[in-house]
Amino acid sequence: MDRRRLNRVLAIAGAVLAAPLFAPQLLAFPYSTKIGQDHIWSTAPISISTMRNILTDANGRVAESPLAVGSEGRDIFLTDGGWRWLWLANTTKGSFALTRPVNESVIVNQSDLGTGLVTNNTSVGGKRTLASVIAHEKCHGMIRRHFGIATDFVKPQWLREGYCDHVAQKSSLTDQDVAALKAAGKDHPALPYYFGRKRVEANLAANGGNVERLFDEAR
């Protein structure tokens, strides 16, 4: 095979492998349904009533942010933490979820509609409610839309993740978890989120709840 043909084959193969990153539904999620403005794709059967309650909860949290516009509908992909998640999450496979900046699709780690929980297999702080995870991820999209995608690169993690946890009204670590980690002298990947939320809420309390000012002044 000559070099030109080889390059063409490699380009096609790369496009095939990358396509699901922009259109996760190409990974053949067997179940899907639309509830309001949200389109849900899942590896497990979807209870419409359960999912509607979860979305009502998540969207209610999102609506309390001044950055929210309309229903904030998204394509939401619920995985079982298996190969689909590993393919889509790539280097962030230890997260609860992620959002694709291009189309704002929300990809969720191991999800269980029966319990309403998402699991990331971390021994401490390894479970979180699906409603709070969805609210957190939708908030990332709201931040990018309102302040621009460059915010992901120029604003500190404590602000971006802390504000999303503030909107979600929940962090993966509890106060008790953090106290135990501190007493044991242990680090945890969720600590920046926990302390970021605390810092965001302190700043909002001090500036009268002004989110524009929060982001403008953060360094």
Side-chain angles (χ1 to χ4, degrees):
M1 183 181 296
D2 61 47
R3 175 175 291 185
R4 183 176 298 178
R5 182 173 298 179
L6 176 61
N7 288 340
R8 187 177 303 157
V9 169
L10 291 175
I12 292 172
V16 169
L17 290 172
L21 300 180
F22 303 96
Q25 58 269 35
L26 294 177
L27 295 183
F29 283 80
Y31 305 95
S32 70
T33 188
K34 191 166 185 180
I35 299 176
Q37 296 301 308
D38 292 303
H39 195 160
I40 314 303
W41 308 76
S42 178
T43 55
I46 302 169
S47 166
I48 302 299
S49 59
T50 299
M51 195 69 228
R52 182 179 289 113
N53 289 339
I54 290 171
L55 288 173
T56 297
D57 186 356
N59 291 332
R61 302 180 196 210
V62 167
E64 293 187 24
S65 169
L67 303 185
V69 176
S71 67
E72 298 294 344
R74 298 282 193 279
D75 285 335
I76 301 171
F77 296 85
L78 306 179
T79 79
D80 57 5
W83 66 269
R84 291 179 181 84
W85 168 252
L86 295 177
W87 189 331
L88 296 170
N90 198 358
T91 59
T92 59
K93 57 182 178 295
S95 303
F96 284 102
L98 59 92
T99 304
R100 293 292 178 206
V102 175
N103 55 18
E104 301 301 344
S105 295
V106 176
I107 320 296
V108 185
N109 201 342
Q110 187 174 343
S111 312
D112 186 340
L113 289 184
T115 61
L117 296 175
V118 180
T119 304
N120 70 354
N121 295 317
T122 302
S123 58
V124 177
K127 293 184 184 296
R128 189 163 174 174
T129 65
L130 179 54
S132 70
V133 168
I134 291 173
H136 178 108
E137 294 304 324
K138 284 190 174 188
C139 183
H140 278 299
M142 297 192 306
I143 290 172
R144 283 189 283 265
R145 180 187 62 222
H146 191 86
F147 296 105
I149 195 168
T151 303
D152 283 345
F153 305 97
V154 301
K155 292 299 180 180
Q157 181 192 43
W158 72 260
L159 173 67
R160 294 178 287 107
E161 300 297 350
Y163 184 70
C164 288
D165 266 6
H166 167 70
V167 168
Q169 302 174 20
K170 187 176 179 64
S171 296
S172 56
L173 295 175
T174 65
D175 294 344
Q176 293 75 19
D177 290 334
V178 173
L181 288 167
K182 184 177 179 180
K186 294 182 178 179
D187 196 9
H188 194 286
L191 282 173
Y193 292 63
Y194 173 88
F195 288 117
R197 179 186 173 194
K198 295 290 187 182
R199 187 172 176 181
V200 162
E201 291 175 348
N203 287 0
L204 288 174
N207 75 14
N210 191 319
V211 178
E212 295 277 353
R213 184 176 170 187
L214 170 72
F215 274 79
D216 286 345
E217 295 179 351
R219 295 291 183 272

